[in-house]
Amino acid sequence: MEIGFIGLGQMGSAMAANLLKAGHVVTVYNRNQSKADGLVAAGAKRAVDAAGACKGQLVFSMLADDAAVEAVTFGERGILAGLGPDGIHVSSSTISVEMAKRLAAAHGEAGQRYLSAPVFGRPEAAAAAKLFVVVAGAPAAVEICRPLLETLGQRVFPIAEQPEAANLVKLSGNFLIFSVIEAVGEAMALVSKAGIDRRAYLDILTSTLFNSPIYATYGALIADRTFEPARFAAPLGSKDLRLALAAANDLEVPMPVASLIHDRFLRLLAGGGDKMDVAALGGMALEDAGL
Amino acid sequence: MEIGFIGLGQMGSAMAANLLKAGHVVTVYNRNQSKADGLVAAGAKRAVDAAGACKGQLVFSMLADDAAVEAVTFGERGILAGLGPDGIHVSSSTISVEMAKRLAAAHGEAGQRYLSAPVFGRPEAAAAAKLFVVVAGAPAAVEICRPLLETLGQRVFPIAEQPEAANLVKLSGNFLIFSVIEAVGEAMALVSKAGIDRRAYLDILTSTLFNSPIYATYGALIADRTFEPARFAAPLGSKDLRLALAAANDLEVPMPVASLIHDRFLRLLAGGGDKMDVAALGGMALEDAGL
Amino acid sequence: MEIGFIGLGQMGSAMAANLLKAGHVVTVYNRNQSKADGLVAAGAKRAVDAAGACKGQLVFSMLADDAAVEAVTFGERGILAGLGPDGIHVSSSTISVEMAKRLAAAHGEAGQRYLSAPVFGRPEAAAAAKLFVVVAGAPAAVEICRPLLETLGQRVFPIAEQPEAANLVKLSGNFLIFSVIEAVGEAMALVSKAGIDRRAYLDILTSTLFNSPIYATYGALIADRTFEPARFAAPLGSKDLRLALAAANDLEVPMPVASLIHDRFLRLLAGGGDKMDVAALGGMALEDAGL
Amino acid sequence: MEIGFIGLGQMGSAMAANLLKAGHVVTVYNRNQSKADGLVAAGAKRAVDAAGACKGQLVFSMLADDAAVEAVTFGERGILAGLGPDGIHVSSSTISVEMAKRLAAAHGEAGQRYLSAPVFGRPEAAAAAKLFVVVAGAPAAVEICRPLLETLGQRVFPIAEQPEAANLVKLSGNFLIFSVIEAVGEAMALVSKAGIDRRAYLDILTSTLFNSPIYATYGALIADRTFEPARFAAPLGSKDLRLALAAANDLEVPMPVASLIHDRFLRLLAGGGDKMDVAALGGMALEDAGL
């Protein structure tokens, strides 16, 4: 199948590589074009702008935020301009519910189709095609994309017909990650100040009731106070939580723990933590206890 | 080995039965004596008071709260009075850090020994000898008890020499359970108000990043709004969280999410929720969103 | 002086009337034109669109929200189009910091001037010319407007040269009002559940340390649970708090009490409280205590 | 009238001096006896223990906390032992609801009477006889004490027949003070980070809606970041808030803002702020914003 792929950061380039490996014809585009070199060497075609990556029926985008998606979609030589009738734009970026609605509306008006297909997983998981993909949009379009999404991940979850539902699931999932960090931070501050070893405590947690990788991964970062280099940077995490709260505001859904964590993100960033991992939220709990 | 066992509720009677099955001589006592009948029929001896269950070197207690432990320990025919020199009192109840310190001091003064050995797991896990046991106290006493604790559970975690450390771990673990309930409640309120099916959403969570039984179990109760009958009743949960916060106050450890949840427990109880499961915290998040 | 006045709600019509009484030539405009009738009968001129109210050097706008201000300013026959070179737009509406920046920039580009001059006070205060006016913008423009602002209020506070500073002061002031409502609600719930009369309690508060009208006014509404009709409607209050939090987010300022109250507003609105006064926040505290 | 006065700190000695000045026969006692010297020089009699200060029908106590009141009341030569039948113990200390109940019960069993009569006001107000006194207990006893309380303060508020009600009012009043500090801290952080002068902002607040001395006093301390020397020390404030939350817990009253502030007190104390004024809570808001 002929596919475009826009956005070749750590996640995007791993995903594009997997599509290529599966035998698809992949045209890639990235604002900073040198990021495409590896993929081109591996057989991908290079486009000079976003529109140029829209020769086939389907184009993926995987970008940092709303602004980047807006630029490659609505820009002069953007996806809207490049994609043919019935063409499908699959957005895997973590963007706002609001932006997903705008994209769906714009592609609809242009006689094109739009899917939101955000993913859970880190760059390693993307490289290993072990992502989890949540997809939402018109069922016919979802069916066309499904084999490709299955190429990218270990499991695909179609969730709703409104594309923005998938973005909301993604944003809420990130909130749940942050809630684990905050709660584990508080619990560790408590036991740690009483003289209990944090690693021994974490071993109990993850061997018993909290045996999911999220607890193990973030618990270890908090126990050891290792917040740099960031794998999931605090400014990105803060942005995601703000988008979740913006959706909550529009839907009139109170989320007191989410709000509490958002204020802690602001404190972290105001204090110079913009190079830190989101795990540093947990470090603040230790610090606030005088540890 | 000759063992006493005091407190024959759902948890205690299952634990005592496993000690009996392992070939130990077990003398049981419960305030409401009829609860001992099944164990006596299975070979246990019956004591008529707490002191009477302290014939051997070691006595377990598994009771509802500080007041109950205080009564069987310090009462006229209590454990302190019944236990011989060097005797060991193993308390598996979820009690306060303060009470654990008092017990340790009192047994120490009496020339006896005290261990805190709270457990994680429900009555089913107790019956199947699948509990997780956190134990703290003097290493020599821990070594004596360890084979018995291994009879009761799938894994034993010695954590510290001060007995109250084990209670703090238990209390903090319950806080982490409540934090999952609250966060999942908020996330479900968000996606649910946007029209996403709560069970489908939970399936995504538990198939991906949150693959621990805590998320599955409590997530299902929240998704289905099934809060009665209670397996972990709200008044008990609220009590545990209050004990965690009391320890946090004494140690000067801020725990903002714990405080937030404690206020939600108070609201639940003030609103008549004392028969409900702790999962009802998550139900409040749905309710607050107008769902 | 020849003045325009746009937006003739309860506040705006009282303010325009005072300018008229002071001898100024006032041209008024309101989308629903019948609201201008009383002022026209009292000597005001009627404009048929916003541009038509911009014949003099200075035009006031006093509208409900960002959207309304955007419409009368940027619309086809709007203030930007109607105002002459050096003309001054004085916005007394409670709008976002963001919108104030946009207005300042747009008027600047058009060779015009922009001031933010939000007011504290209810319609009664507006009618009695007892408002408090916070004004920000270029000093020269402030000096021109100052006599007019003094006509409207009992005191004028020039605060900064960037117009949006005045909006931030206004938004933060409303947050402080909500914080009083929330705190008094919690305190009243506490003493009231202990059997103390709420009115007697309020009398103590307002006779001693909290002798400001805010405590007296909102305390009485909470004590009596009188939340309708709204004088300051919950949806407007919620909007103001959201704007304060948006500014806090942009400036990276954590405001945990503001966030907590915002979630309570969402709960109030999700529960059907959109006709209620902001005082109903305090009523929720009573309700949450089971009162 | 013959009166005893126990507890001669800054507040107590000022109160005892006013009773003396009004012509009463005052016998004073303080653990550190040198604190009585000034009063004795002015005509007071000196007692060598608490019981010795209970020769008349009525004895006041004004002490730091529950433990101090417990010691002078229940100790061997304490108030219970010294006071005659029908004697009245008037406790003006800020103590827990629980302790007030215990005192009332113990005096009742001893055929004596107990009143809670906590005061609002600083040492200067005590010296000037400008305190506000909230009194609760049996009406007959209140009537006997009333002229004395009027000697101490500018106004006396009888609030209920259960003595502990007065303590609850006092504790809730201190919570309201802390809520002002926290809210003003957050608001100042917001405007201050936007470049607005904090003193100019405070002037607007206190000239308009928030014209009570609490806002002026604490607002100035926050604006200037003057947190030492403490007039109302953080450890005492934290203790009072903990007592309010303990009462709220017993009554099942959620107080989310109170809980939030309590966690901030813990952070302040864990960070070494035990010499600081409670106003330092507001300083944390500035600090969290990176100011």
Side-chain angles (χ1 to χ4, degrees), chain A residues 132 155 168 172 179-180 183 186 193-194 201 203 207-209 211-215 251-252 254-258 288, chain B residues 132 155 168 172 175 179-180 183 186 193-194 201 203 207-209 211-215 251-252 254-258 288:
Chain A
F132 295 103
R155 195 162 155 197
L168 196 62
S172 78
S179 76
V180 168
E186 294 184 14
K193 199 159 178 185
Y201 176 68
D203 181 40
S207 307
T208 60
L209 302 178
N211 56 340
S212 96
I214 289 288
Y215 284 83
L251 290 163
E252 291 182 347
M255 296 184 74
V257 169
D288 286 355
Chain B
F132 295 103
R155 195 162 154 198
L168 197 62
S172 79
F175 154 59
S179 77
V180 168
E186 294 183 14
K193 198 157 179 187
Y201 176 68
D203 181 41
S207 306
T208 60
L209 302 178
N211 56 341
S212 98
I214 289 289
Y215 284 83
L251 291 162
E252 290 182 348
M255 297 183 74
V257 168
D288 286 356

Side-chain angles (χ1 to χ4, degrees), chain A residues 68-95:
Chain A
V69 175
E70 184 171 19
V72 302
T73 306
F74 296 93
E76 205 177 334
R77 292 279 305 158
I79 299 174
L80 272 168
L83 207 58
D86 274 333
I88 304 175
H89 175 188
V90 182
S91 162
S92 290
S93 316
T94 298
I95 54 172

Side-chain angles (χ1 to χ4, degrees), chain B residues 69-230:
Chain B
V69 174
E70 185 172 19
V72 302
T73 305
F74 295 93
E76 205 178 334
R77 292 278 305 157
I79 298 174
L80 272 169
L83 207 58
D86 274 334
I88 305 173
H89 176 188
V90 183
S91 161
S92 290
S93 315
T94 300
I95 54 172
S96 70
V97 164
E98 210 45 49
M99 176 58 70
K101 286 184 185 171
R102 273 186 62 200
L103 292 168
H107 283 294
E109 281 172 36
Q112 302 161 353
R113 293 178 283 180
Y114 171 76
L115 298 179
S116 282
V119 299
F120 284 100
R122 304 248 187 73
E124 309 86 86
K130 295 273 191 196
L131 295 171
F132 295 103
V133 187
V134 180
V135 61
V142 169
E143 282 322 298
I144 292 168
C145 296
R146 197 176 184 137
L148 299 170
L149 300 176
E150 280 165 354
T151 299
L152 299 174
Q154 60 180 294
R155 195 162 154 198
V156 176
F157 301 89
I159 185 77
E161 301 202 6
Q162 321 92 299
E164 67 271 17
N167 301 96
L168 197 62
V169 169
K170 169 68 181 175
L171 294 172
S172 79
N174 281 3
F175 154 59
L176 288 174
I177 292 173
F178 307 145
S179 77
V180 168
I181 295 171
E182 172 66 29
V184 169
E186 294 183 14
M188 278 204 180
L190 179 64
V191 301
S192 178
K193 198 157 179 187
I196 296 169
D197 180 76
R198 291 198 291 266
R199 277 285 191 169
Y201 176 68
L202 181 60
D203 181 41
I204 296 178
L205 294 183
T206 55
S207 306
T208 60
L209 302 178
F210 304 97
N211 56 341
S212 98
I214 289 289
Y215 284 83
T217 304
Y218 285 107
L221 295 175
I222 299 167
D224 302 344
R225 297 181 112 148
T226 304
F227 305 130
E228 297 190 50

Side-chain angles (χ1 to χ4, degrees), chain D residues 69-208:
Chain D
V69 174
E70 185 171 19
V72 301
T73 306
F74 295 94
E76 204 177 332
R77 292 278 305 157
I79 298 174
L80 272 168
L83 206 57
D86 274 334
I88 305 175
H89 176 188
V90 183
S91 162
S92 290
S93 314
T94 299
I95 54 172
S96 70
V97 164
E98 211 46 47
M99 177 57 71
K101 286 183 185 172
R102 273 185 62 200
L103 291 169
H107 284 296
E109 280 173 35
Q112 301 160 353
R113 293 179 282 181
Y114 171 77
L115 298 179
S116 282
V119 300
F120 284 99
R122 303 248 188 74
E124 307 87 86
K130 294 275 190 193
L131 296 171
F132 295 104
V133 188
V134 181
V135 60
V142 169
E143 282 320 300
I144 292 169
C145 297
R146 195 168 186 147
L148 299 170
L149 301 175
E150 280 165 355
T151 298
L152 299 174
Q154 59 180 293
R155 196 164 155 196
V156 176
F157 300 89
I159 186 78
E161 302 201 4
Q162 319 90 301
E164 67 271 17
N167 301 95
L168 196 62
V169 168
K170 169 68 180 173
L171 294 171
S172 78
N174 281 2
F175 154 60
L176 288 175
I177 292 173
F178 307 145
S179 76
V180 168
I181 295 171
E182 171 67 29
V184 169
E186 295 184 14
M188 279 203 180
L190 178 64
V191 302
S192 178
K193 199 158 180 188
I196 296 168
D197 180 74
R198 291 200 288 268
R199 276 286 190 167
Y201 176 68
L202 180 61
D203 180 39
I204 296 178
L205 294 183
T206 55
S207 307
T208 59

Side-chain angles (χ1 to χ4, degrees), chain C residues 120-121 132 134 155 157 159-160 162 165-166 168-169 172-173 175-177 179-180 182-184 186-187 189-191 193-197 200-201 203-205 207-215 244 247-248 251-258 260-261 264 285 288-290, chain D residues 120-121 132 134 155 157 159-160 162 165-166 168-169 172-173 175-177 179-180 182-184 186-187 189-191 193-197 200-201 203-205 207-215 244 247-248 251-258 260-261 264 285 288-290:
Chain C
F120 284 101
F132 296 103
V134 180
R155 197 165 154 195
F157 300 90
I159 187 77
Q162 321 91 301
L168 197 61
V169 168
S172 79
F175 154 60
L176 288 175
I177 293 173
S179 76
V180 169
E182 172 66 28
V184 169
E186 294 184 13
L190 179 64
V191 301
K193 199 159 179 186
I196 295 168
D197 180 76
Y201 176 68
D203 181 40
I204 296 178
L205 294 183
S207 306
T208 60
L209 303 178
F210 303 96
N211 56 340
S212 97
I214 289 289
Y215 284 83
L251 290 164
E252 289 182 349
V253 176
M255 297 183 74
V257 168
L260 186 159
I261 296 173
R264 289 174 82 82
D288 286 356
Chain D
F120 284 99
F132 295 104
V134 181
R155 196 164 155 196
F157 300 89
I159 186 78
Q162 319 90 301
L168 196 62
V169 168
S172 78
F175 154 60
L176 288 175
I177 292 173
S179 76
V180 168
E182 171 67 29
V184 169
E186 295 184 14
L190 178 64
V191 302
K193 199 158 180 188
I196 296 168
D197 180 74
Y201 176 68
D203 180 39
I204 296 178
L205 294 183
S207 307
T208 59
L209 302 178
F210 304 96
N211 56 339
S212 97
I214 289 289
Y215 284 83
L251 291 164
E252 291 183 348
V253 176
M255 296 183 74
V257 168
L260 186 159
I261 295 172
R264 289 173 84 82
D288 287 354

